[in-house]
Amino acid sequence: MPLGANKSAIIGMGGVSAGDVVLIDTYTAGGEASKAYTGFSSDYKQLVWQFVNLHGSADNTNWSFQVKTSGGSYGISTISQAMRCMNTQDGSSQSVDYWSDADVLESTGQVPLYYDSNFDDAEFAVSGQLTLYNPTSSTYYKNWITRGVGNLQGSGDALMGAFISGYVLTATALDGIEFKFDSATANIDTGKILYWGIK
């Protein structure tokens, strides 16, 4: 996908040259339960996944991830913190607050990137971006940050912006990540995931 000089603008990284931003993969959803990426290259200091209009098959579900090391299993202990802002379609209710429901504390389960999604209507979707820093480092814990937007479960068809970040509690190099909606009945019906590496 030749994007030329627009690559760094799409990723939003000031000072990053177009040659340092590589589109590794484009995934188009088709009803899968999850999407995994493995075989992280040490050529990239950052890995970025952009989520474009993901629509799940169930309501009241979290868009989430887990990571693994080479030869290991998913579920490495992770800690995070979360903030959110909301506004209903009719503008009758707004808020900006700390979001304890989306936080995890040394959890080995699914880590929320977007929480409590509503897919009652076909036009509802979740979009956003996850950046994982120094994923193949054998020295540091692995910092990550995400920004997402979508429709929140409940009355008023609230639009919610999510700001969640954290770190994976291992100094061992990571070698895989899995994304899914955490409801047992939720598949990734439609949408795309763009997978980028930044040198």
Side-chain angles (χ1 to χ4, degrees):
M1 183 177 181
L3 296 177
N6 292 326
K7 287 180 181 177
S8 54
I10 289 172
I11 298 299
M13 301 297 296
V16 176
S17 70
D20 291 337
V21 181
V22 178
L23 180 60
I24 300 170
D25 183 69
T26 299
Y27 158 74
T28 301
E32 298 81 8
S34 64
K35 173 59 180 171
Y37 300 89
T38 58
F40 295 165
S41 170
S42 60
D43 291 343
Y44 303 116
K45 299 302 181 188
Q46 299 172 43
L47 297 177
V48 178
W49 291 268
Q50 292 179 309
F51 315 116
V52 183
N53 293 330
L54 298 180
H55 183 91
S57 62
D59 282 339
N60 194 23
T61 184
N62 305 328
W63 181 239
S64 61
F65 78 99
Q66 288 184 311
V67 293
K68 72 178 190 70
T69 58
S70 179
S73 59
Y74 290 104
I76 299 174
S77 186
T78 302
I79 187 169
S80 71
Q81 58 79 36
M83 298 288 292
R84 66 178 175 177
C85 54
M86 292 188 299
N87 194 6
T88 54
Q89 283 186 5
D90 63 6
S92 63
S93 178
Q94 308 86 27
S95 67
V96 177
D97 56 11
Y98 165 68
W99 193 15
S100 60
D101 288 343
D103 272 355
V104 295
L105 179 60
E106 295 190 30
S107 171
T108 58
Q110 294 295 127
V111 179
L113 296 173
Y114 191 87
Y115 192 80
D116 208 10
S117 301
N118 177 12
F119 299 117
D120 277 340
D121 295 334
E123 65 268 25
F124 289 169
V126 172
S127 297
Q129 177 173 303
L130 167 69
T131 303
L132 181 61
Y133 298 93
N134 291 313
T136 60
S137 169
S138 58
T139 303
Y140 301 108
Y141 288 163
K142 313 306 182 288
N143 296 316
W144 57 271
I145 188 167
T146 189
R147 170 77 171 95
V149 62
N151 299 91
L152 186 65
Q153 176 72 17
S155 62
D157 289 338
L159 173 70
M160 184 178 71
F163 305 82
I164 307 175
S165 59
Y167 56 88
V168 181
L169 293 164
T170 183
T172 303
L174 300 180
D175 193 50
I177 190 166
E178 180 185 60
F179 297 102
K180 66 180 180 179
F181 291 107
D182 68 355
S183 169
T185 61
N187 294 327
I188 313 168
D189 277 353
T190 59
K192 291 182 181 291
I193 300 176
L194 306 180
Y195 174 33
W196 301 83
I198 303 178
K199 296 179 178 180

